[in-house]
Amino acid sequence: MNHGGARNRSGPAANMYSARSDARDLRARKLPVGGYDGDFPPLSDFLPDAKEREGQVWAQAWRSPQADQWIRESWRHRTIAMWVRWSVKMEDPEAPAATAAAAQRLADSIGMTPAGLKENGWLIVADDSTDNPEQKAKQSAAKRSVGRTMANGKRMRAVAAPTTRDDDD
C-alpha cells in the first residue's frame, strides 16, 4: 500500500519573496485591509435552512479582506457557508472539540487564519500602500535590510580572499 505523495503543507513552504518563487511566478495576492464592499451571494443559496446568527456571520465574513478574493472564486462559496455553520455551532459552550476542529480546518481552507492566508498565497495590505510615500519608504528600507543569510539566520558578509605568499624565495 502506498503512503507517500505530496500533501498539503508538506515540505518547506514556498517563500513568496524568493527568486525561485519569482521564476515560478508565485506571488502573493494582495487583499485590501479595508475588506470587500461589493455585493455577495445570499446564504440561502448554500444553506436554505440558515439561522439568523448564521446570516450575521455570513455578512460579516463577506466584509473581510478575504472576500475580495472569494468573490472571484465561486467554487469557494459553499465552503465559506460550511465555515459559517461550523463557526456558529462552535459558539455553543457545550460544543465538542471536534466542532472547533472542523471550524478551524474550514477557516484555514478559506484563508480566515494566518496559516490559511499563507496557504492560499494571500497578503492583507493597506489600500494605499502603492500610493503612500511613507509606505514606499518603509518597503524600500526593508528591501535594503534584507540580504543573504546563512541557515542560522546570520547575515553573510564578504571576507577578503587569502593572499598567497611565496616563502620559497
Side-chain angles (χ1 to χ4, degrees):
M1 199 184 321
N2 290 335
H3 297 286
R7 289 183 173 72
N8 189 18
R9 297 185 190 177
S10 67
N15 181 345
M16 296 298 173
Y17 308 105
S18 71
R20 182 176 178 167
S21 290
D22 283 346
R24 294 171 24 208
D25 201 27
L26 293 177
R27 290 190 178 84
R29 168 104 175 125
K30 295 178 181 172
L31 306 177
V33 72
Y36 176 71
D37 62 357
D39 293 333
F40 52 88
L43 179 58
S44 60
D45 287 356
F46 307 98
L47 298 175
D49 60 340
K51 296 176 176 71
E52 182 179 349
R53 177 66 181 142
E54 290 171 338
Q56 293 169 348
V57 174
W58 177 259
Q60 288 171 345
W62 279 97
R63 295 298 170 223
S64 70
Q66 292 85 335
D68 190 64
Q69 185 63 26
W70 296 340
I71 200 65
R72 296 176 174 93
E73 301 172 340
S74 59
W75 55 269
R76 285 188 193 263
H77 296 177
R78 182 154 176 75
T79 307
I80 298 161
M82 289 295 100
W83 170 76
V84 165
R85 173 141 296 164
W86 284 98
S87 292
V88 170
K89 284 182 180 187
M90 189 177 66
E91 292 174 352
D92 180 357
E94 300 296 318
T99 301
Q104 180 68 36
R105 280 193 305 275
L106 288 165
D108 284 346
S109 173
I110 63 172
M112 290 299 279
T113 64
L117 285 168
K118 190 172 183 180
E119 184 177 314
N120 284 292
W122 299 342
L123 286 175
I124 298 175
V125 296
D127 295 331
D128 64 347
S129 64
T130 56
D131 301 328
N132 185 342
E134 185 178 313
Q135 185 70 19
K136 282 185 177 180
K138 287 180 185 177
Q139 289 173 348
S140 62
K143 285 179 186 173
R144 284 192 304 270
S145 69
V146 173
R148 295 189 159 252
T149 59
M150 296 181 282
N152 63 4
K154 293 184 180 177
R155 288 180 52 88
M156 293 171 47
R157 54 192 159 103
V159 178
T163 57
T164 56
R165 295 180 15 181
D166 290 330
D167 292 329
D168 297 312
D169 292 332

